[in-house]
Amino acid sequence: MRSPLPALLVAISIALSGPVLADSGRLLVELNKTESIEGGGCRAFFLFRNETGKSFAGFEMSLAVLDARGVIDRLLSIDAAPLPVARTTLKLFEIPDLSCTDISEVLLHDMTACQPQNEEEMDCFSILDLASRSDTRLVK
């Protein structure tokens, strides 16, 4: 007679793998493009690809904007919430009085809010991936 233990272990492994994989997903923040604003300034287009298995009710970032010489010009706080699960979301943010060509890099300085829907705040740095398709780098 065969022992039911191997089948039981496989069933437990399958049952546990779903939630574990959902919680280990990534959230991509992509600086997709920048464009000049009439009258001066720069508009930044960000894509947020939420593959985490969670919707986010709170998602605020503090960004340091570096000028063409690599010197911090200003800090911006942007609120990207809500970020629905398994969706790509487009958010536009304006950087006044600074030309897009004068921005060399945007640094993710801090996450001031990262709260999954109906859950406690969490540290999002570990699940974030950053990318840029523009001439301006996005780094953490």
Side-chain angles (χ1 to χ4, degrees):
M1 179 174 187
R2 291 177 50 187
S3 168
L5 186 57
L8 179 61
L9 291 175
V10 169
I12 290 172
S13 174
I14 290 170
L16 291 177
S17 67
V20 171
L21 290 176
D23 289 345
S24 65
R26 308 296 293 167
L27 199 157
L28 173 68
V29 179
E30 177 185 281
L31 176 55
N32 186 268
K33 77 173 192 171
T34 58
E35 69 180 16
S36 297
I37 301 171
E38 188 174 320
C42 184
R43 182 173 297 121
F45 293 75
F46 283 87
L47 292 178
F48 296 85
R49 298 183 194 277
N50 184 358
E51 304 285 331
T52 64
K54 302 173 186 257
S55 290
F56 287 86
F59 195 87
E60 295 177 23
M61 302 183 300
S62 174
L63 302 175
V65 179
L66 284 67
D67 67 15
R69 297 175 306 146
V71 176
I72 296 172
D73 181 83
R74 68 190 75 191
L75 291 176
L76 292 178
S77 182
I78 61 172
D79 184 354
L83 295 178
V85 66
R87 293 250 332 258
T88 298
T89 306
L90 169 66
K91 303 285 183 168
L92 285 67
F93 302 100
E94 294 190 1
I95 305 167
D97 306 319
L98 186 62
S99 168
C100 296
T101 58
D102 290 335
I103 301 173
S104 64
E105 187 171 89
V106 176
L107 167 69
L108 175 57
H109 170 256
D110 192 18
M111 291 295 307
T112 53
C114 184
Q115 184 171 11
Q117 188 80 35
N118 302 318
E119 293 184 27
E120 296 292 318
E121 286 269 338
M122 63 178 279
D123 177 13
C124 273
F125 272 100
S126 63
I127 62 167
L128 286 181
D129 291 321
L130 303 181
S132 179
R133 292 183 187 263
S134 80
D135 291 337
T136 302
R137 293 177 4 141
L138 179 62
V139 298
K140 60 179 172 178

